[in-house]
Amino acid sequence: MKLGVLQFFSWPERRVALETVYARALERIAIMDQSGYDAVWLAEHHFSGFSVCPSVHVMGATVAARTRHLRIGTAVSLAALYHPLRLAEEVALLDVLSGGRVNWGAGRGFDRAEFENFGVAMADSAERFREAVEIVLAAWRDERLHYTGKHFQFAGVEVLPKPLQRPHPPVWVAASSESAIEWAARQGHSILMDPHAAHAEIARKRELYRTRLAAHGHDIAGREIPMARLLAVAPTEAQALDVARRGAAWILGSYMGDQHAQIFDPTGLTGLVAEPDPVERALRGAVIHGTPESVLAQIERLREEMFLDSLMCAPLSHESFTLFTERVLPKLV
């Protein structure tokens, strides 16, 4: 099993200086580099204390300078919000500076505040995202880029640098809705799966992806499909449940306000927050929580139930990360 960490830069209640949030995250990433993790996946968000990381590419360069082994994933570059040539340049530069350690994950995004404040119309977001992915890949692959789309047109532009990994870094697209899964399968893209849907729903979507891949002449064999899961680990089940409940409440609360409401709902969050008790629903089906022994057993079960062979865990506390690293990870790698 491949193991990575979905690294948020959360600033709850702004209890500490923001520099401390970054320093703690970088300390954790340094531990990952020496502990057998495959990758750190950096989460891009804007205009919220939920995760203050507006540039996963700048953060990725910082991570590259402080690590030697860890692959540096983006989960995700919000491709619909970028000029695609700038995006191609930045990710390629990160690949060169990191010695070819980039995992590129691209996503459309779903936060209304991000689209409104960057001036991207929701109606155009899917088309812009898909064109951006096509353009980035062509810019990396071709000596000179020629492209004609609805939103972008380029004639013979040389995009530099090219990535160190040739023809390009491994690529994933975030695909949570059925329409996104269908598009990814049709294009033959590998997918990232979100941290909010229940385990059973992730299994269903993964099976849908497999069947749609086959329908379009592609094979799922050999593909890495990282599945993001929230994680709470503590010395006792009760303590882990408390960490999980507080973490789930913080995350869901970050999405409930009008400013940050979803303009569309690829992850099922709108339905989740509309539940009478959305936190309890998340605890029942979307968060891995318990003692180290219990968490190991849950992961082993999920390997069978949801075809989990690449876990992108999002620890909900520093103790969760430490206990997982010391007592669970060695039994999985």
Side-chain angles (χ1 to χ4, degrees):
M1 174 180 284
K2 288 196 173 181
L3 290 157
V5 172
L6 177 58
Q7 182 64 57
F8 293 105
F9 298 84
S10 299
W11 199 17
E13 302 171 8
R14 309 191 180 188
R15 293 190 297 263
V16 300
L18 186 55
E19 309 92 273
T20 302
V21 172
Y22 297 135
R24 289 174 177 173
L26 291 169
E27 288 172 4
R28 179 184 296 182
I29 289 167
I31 293 170
M32 293 178 214
D33 192 48
Q34 301 298 323
S35 302
Y37 286 96
D38 176 69
V40 60
W41 297 85
L42 305 170
E44 178 179 334
H45 288 280
H46 301 269
F47 317 125
S48 171
F50 170 62
S51 182
V52 188
C53 186
S55 174
V56 287
H57 313 124
V58 171
M59 184 61 72
T62 301
V63 170
R66 295 171 179 236
T67 59
R68 293 292 177 267
H69 312 291
L70 204 61
R71 293 194 64 80
I72 302 166
T74 63
V76 291
S77 302
L78 293 173
L81 305 181
Y82 285 83
H83 190 288
L85 297 189
R86 183 75 180 192
L87 183 56
E89 292 173 335
E90 290 191 1
V91 179
L93 180 59
L94 176 58
D95 196 51
V96 172
L97 295 176
S98 67
R101 289 190 281 140
V102 167
N103 288 350
W104 188 51
R108 176 183 179 186
F110 56 86
D111 189 319
R112 185 177 69 188
E114 293 175 341
F115 283 92
E116 289 181 348
N117 288 297
F118 281 117
V120 175
M122 179 266 180
D124 296 334
S125 62
E127 289 179 339
R128 285 178 61 96
F129 165 67
R130 293 172 184 181
E131 285 192 17
V133 172
E134 292 173 358
I135 290 164
V136 168
L137 294 178
W140 289 343
R141 182 181 60 243
D142 301 338
E143 183 177 347
R144 290 187 175 272
L145 173 65
H146 298 269
Y147 185 86
T148 301
K150 178 178 178 181
H151 299 280
F152 302 101
Q153 299 83 38
F154 306 106
V157 60
E158 184 181 25
V159 181
L160 296 173
K162 302 299 185 189
L164 187 60
Q165 298 176 88
R166 301 298 293 159
H168 53 69
V171 173
W172 289 264
V173 295
S176 297
S177 67
E178 293 193 4
S179 61
I181 290 171
E182 168 63 30
W183 175 78
R186 186 168 62 250
Q187 300 298 318
H189 294 313
S190 295
I191 63 172
L192 300 170
M193 306 198 76
D194 71 270
H196 305 293
H199 306 321
E201 182 66 4
I202 292 291
R204 186 190 70 80
K205 290 177 181 178
R206 192 267 189 193
E207 179 63 10
L208 173 64
Y209 173 64
R210 184 192 66 78
T211 60
R212 299 315 299 157
L213 272 176
H216 293 293
H218 305 292
D219 195 345
I220 200 169
R223 291 178 185 267
E224 180 185 351
I225 304 176
M227 298 177 178
R229 299 286 81 187
L230 301 174
L231 176 71
V233 192
T236 70
E237 295 288 344
Q239 290 170 322
L241 180 60
D242 181 62
V243 172
R245 180 174 285 114
R246 286 187 283 109
W250 158 253
I251 289 170
L252 292 173
S254 298
Y255 290 105
M256 288 181 180
D258 290 339
Q259 179 187 5
H260 296 288
Q262 295 76 23
I263 56 175
F264 56 94
D265 188 31
T267 63
L269 279 166
T270 298
L272 182 58
V273 299
E275 288 281 315
D277 196 335
V279 172
E280 291 304 316
R281 177 182 163 185
L283 294 177
R284 288 194 303 272
V287 184
I288 299 172
H289 59 88
T291 64
E293 295 75 20
S294 172
V295 164
L296 178 63
Q298 290 173 61
I299 292 172
E300 293 290 2
R301 188 186 76 244
L302 293 175
R303 293 178 84 158
E304 301 297 325
E305 293 179 0
M306 55 191 276
F307 310 100
L308 177 64
D309 58 12
S310 180
L311 173 61
M312 183 168 30
C313 60
L316 292 173
S317 68
H318 182 68
E319 183 178 47
S320 295
F321 170 75
T322 300
L323 286 173
F324 185 85
T325 301
E326 294 178 353
R327 297 177 56 183
V328 181
L329 181 142
K331 299 179 181 179
L332 291 171
V333 297

